[in-house]
Amino acid sequence: MSNLHLNVNTSGGGSPGSSVFDLPVSVAKDQHSPSPARLLPPANTEQAANNSISFVVLSGGTGGNAICSAFGNACYVLPVSDDGGSSSEIIRVIGGPSIGDIRSRLIRLIPPASPGSPLDAIPREEWRDIVEGTSKLWQGIPNDRKETIRGFLVYFESELLKRAHKNFTFVNGSIGNYFLAAAQGFFRSLPSAVFLFSSITNSQANILPVIVTNHTVTIAAELENGERLVGQCEISHPVSGPSIVGFSEPDPWSPVETQRQNVMFEAAGKSTYEPLASRINKLFYINAYGMEIHPSPNPDYLSSLSSHDVLVYSCGSLWTSIIPCLALRGVASAIARSTPFGQKLNAKNDRETHGYTAEDYILAVTRTLNAQYQRQTYGLGSANTIYPISAFITDCIHVDVKRITVCFVECLLALGVRCTQVQTDGGDLKFEAGSVRQVIDTILTARTE
């Protein structure tokens, strides 16, 4: 099976989501079947029955990639506020929402393909060959797909040429990001770009950007000591001077527009971090002038909460991946009316959650959802509903027993939240898709008894 495969970063636990554009073009003869291809074909009848359960999964772009196979019929909701990696360079030069997390999940959900030709970066000369259709990476790609992909890459190139004074750099570049950015710019619709990507790659992925917009989305965090951090990178993994290729000229009219050029960071940097000066008090969206705004969520996101069976808060950075999907108008009431399930605690804390216990994770989610994301009103109509924890989270799934005390378990049980530990092999504190699905099936079965 041939494919177009560029590899930006091979770190991150070998997650398939680290590939950039893994494009299957044919089906092996021994795998030929008259029935349509399935993203997660069931191994047996029991698993096929489990796939009838539908999930809404909130997660980060790479944080939840390793356990995607635990959810057969799933709708993945992803943030559009990442400002690192090659997304930062696209945002700096062209603008638009961040598509890095969406691209990562799209790649993860492409049906399996044979290994391709990995490249750690895209030099300008290599990019020229790709755009002109002469690169060896096009070998084996059907002509119709090749010309569709190449057409949008040419469109992307034309947008760069219009802004040549900004000196776009292809270092750490991602073909998948370039394609999605071009499709989004051409259609003026991020959902349309996702649909085109899924169609070309034969993926059955159901992926929703949490916000539908054609503009850059920026998040900010207010710490308990009053300090304010702007942008996902500053909150989660600030980049030191040597890791930054350069700087663009700041907009004198905007206190936020100081976009750095091609913000690159190592995946290992999240395990070796400098803790925040104090804990995060709240996360919110801001406009280009640093003012707090309350954008509306993707309507399909809200409707999926009512049409799917189970909501799962999956793995990913708490404050920069999960919370941006919650700090929006109407999300709290939609979740409370749906079937919430569980929060899977990250195996280890990071810069955003240094010193957090399991209770801190759950309280952060609950506090965010109970906050108000609309203009202040006056009069009798200003009453706000405060939901209990059990309206948002019914189960807590974890691998690290050190953060789960007997006292904590008893407190959560009183609030309607149960704790379940996922068994891991060899003492490695990481979620595995098989173990996660087994625990989910056990919990859901207990609900019906």
Side-chain angles (χ1 to χ4, degrees), residues 270-438:
K270 298 198 72 174
S271 60
T272 57
Y273 58 86
E274 179 181 351
L276 295 170
S278 66
R279 289 190 173 190
I280 297 176
N281 181 45
K282 73 171 184 175
L283 182 132
F284 52 96
Y285 290 89
I286 61 175
N287 60 18
Y289 300 97
M291 300 174 60
E292 182 175 357
I293 58 175
H294 305 296
S296 298
N298 185 343
D300 291 338
Y301 169 29
L302 297 183
S303 62
S304 67
L305 289 171
S306 59
S307 62
H308 287 66
D309 299 322
V310 179
L311 168 66
V312 177
Y313 307 86
S314 188
C315 301
S317 299
L318 174 65
W319 286 101
T320 55
S321 294
I322 307 300
I323 297 297
C325 297
L326 305 176
L328 296 163
R329 289 181 289 174
V331 172
S333 58
I335 292 177
R337 292 193 299 266
S338 68
T339 308
F341 175 57
Q343 179 173 7
K344 294 198 292 294
L345 300 179
N346 292 336
K348 60 178 70 174
N349 290 333
D350 54 20
R351 171 180 163 90
E352 305 172 19
T353 57
H354 181 72
Y356 271 42
T357 63
E359 183 178 8
D360 294 324
Y361 277 84
I362 292 176
L363 291 179
V365 169
T366 304
R367 186 171 67 249
T368 298
L369 287 169
N370 274 322
Q372 299 303 312
Y373 302 102
Q374 56 190 0
R375 292 182 179 179
Q376 190 67 31
T377 57
Y378 301 93
L380 296 178
S382 62
N384 299 318
T385 301
I386 303 299
Y387 296 95
I389 293 177
S390 57
F392 304 133
I393 301 174
T394 60
D395 292 87
C396 174
I397 302 176
H398 63 93
V399 294
D400 187 358
V401 296
K402 295 180 180 178
R403 286 183 289 174
I404 308 294
T405 63
V406 175
C407 179
F408 170 74
V409 171
E410 293 176 349
C411 290
L412 286 190
L413 283 175
L415 297 173
V417 179
R418 298 172 293 270
C419 292
T420 306
Q421 182 180 355
V422 174
Q423 299 297 326
T424 58
D425 296 331
D428 189 12
L429 298 180
K430 290 183 179 180
F431 286 108
E432 297 175 352
S435 300
V436 169
R437 186 55 193 251
Q438 184 177 8

Side-chain angles (χ1 to χ4, degrees), residues 203-216:
S203 172
Q204 291 80 42
N206 183 9
I207 296 177
L208 299 177
V210 69
I211 299 173
V212 178
T213 179
N214 292 318
H215 304 285
T216 300

Side-chain angles (χ1 to χ4, degrees), residues 5-16 18-19 118-120 172 266-267:
H5 183 100
L6 295 179
N7 194 5
V8 169
N9 187 357
T10 57
S11 60
S15 169
S18 62
S19 62
L119 292 176
D120 292 332
N172 201 37
E266 298 289 339

